[in-house]
Amino acid sequence: MFFDILAEELARRDMQDAPIDEHNLDELNRRIDEYMTEFEAHGTDHVQVTTDTDSY
């Protein structure tokens, strides 16, 4: 479940959080599948977390 949620959140981020409709649903699913493939192969080994410290 964790990887499913993470993959969708990252895919939506990559699409600049555009509203999802019939025009971009295939693109969202393609990006989710790419992330899931990465997670299946490497888990979170290649995930980097950065923060914008200027916003605090």
Side-chain angles (χ1 to χ4, degrees):
M1 189 71 155
F2 170 76
F3 289 125
D4 295 327
I5 294 168
L6 182 58
E8 182 172 349
E9 290 296 320
L10 291 172
R12 287 178 179 272
R13 179 211 57 189
D14 292 349
M15 297 174 67
Q16 288 82 41
D17 292 316
I20 303 303
D21 58 25
E22 66 274 1
H23 296 96
N24 60 4
L25 182 60
D26 288 341
E27 177 68 15
L28 176 67
N29 287 327
R30 183 187 65 74
R31 290 173 185 260
I32 290 171
D33 290 343
E34 288 178 2
Y35 279 114
M36 290 303 293
T37 298
E38 174 67 21
F39 297 148
E40 288 169 4
H42 304 284
T44 57
D45 291 345
H46 297 160
V47 173
Q48 294 181 352
V49 177
T50 59
T51 61
D52 181 9
T53 58
D54 294 333
S55 65
Y56 295 105

